[in-house]
Amino acid sequence: MEFSANRENEKLAKVLSEALQDQKFINLRIYDENGDRQITGLITNIDQEFRRLKVSHEDGIDWIPLDDLLSAEIAINYTESFN
């Protein structure tokens, strides 16, 4: 079971790194005690000290704790602008 979790963490880290480096939009599914939520946006910072992501999306900017991330995938053909 622990091996599987490590593999998932490595996959998640790779997707997050690619999204930040290449400025690709990303779909995030985030744990919330009132029901999981989804955000599509751009990662603008990964704060390793506090284990969180800074994500710019259509509703603004959020800092998301890495421990709350349930899944992440590159958003294919997403071209929204948040300027």
Side-chain angles (χ1 to χ4, degrees), residues 11-83:
K11 181 181 172 186
L12 186 62
K14 183 179 177 183
V15 170
L16 296 176
S17 177
E18 178 184 346
L20 176 63
Q21 241 178 359
D22 298 340
Q23 282 299 280
K24 293 181 178 177
F25 283 88
I26 190 164
N27 295 321
L28 301 172
R29 191 165 60 93
I30 304 157
Y31 170 79
D32 187 294
E33 60 189 35
N34 297 319
D36 299 346
R37 62 189 181 118
Q38 295 205 17
I39 293 176
T40 299
L42 291 171
I43 296 174
T44 58
N45 191 2
I46 298 176
D47 182 341
Q48 294 182 5
E49 181 179 356
F50 292 104
R51 295 189 39 80
R52 62 187 184 163
L53 301 174
K54 187 177 184 182
V55 181
S56 177
H57 54 92
E58 62 187 4
D59 294 328
I61 295 173
D62 281 318
W63 281 99
I64 300 167
L66 290 173
D67 293 338
D68 288 353
L69 278 182
L70 300 173
S71 67
E73 61 184 25
I74 300 298
I76 305 298
N77 298 327
Y78 194 86
T79 59
E80 187 71 32
S81 176
F82 303 126
N83 293 331

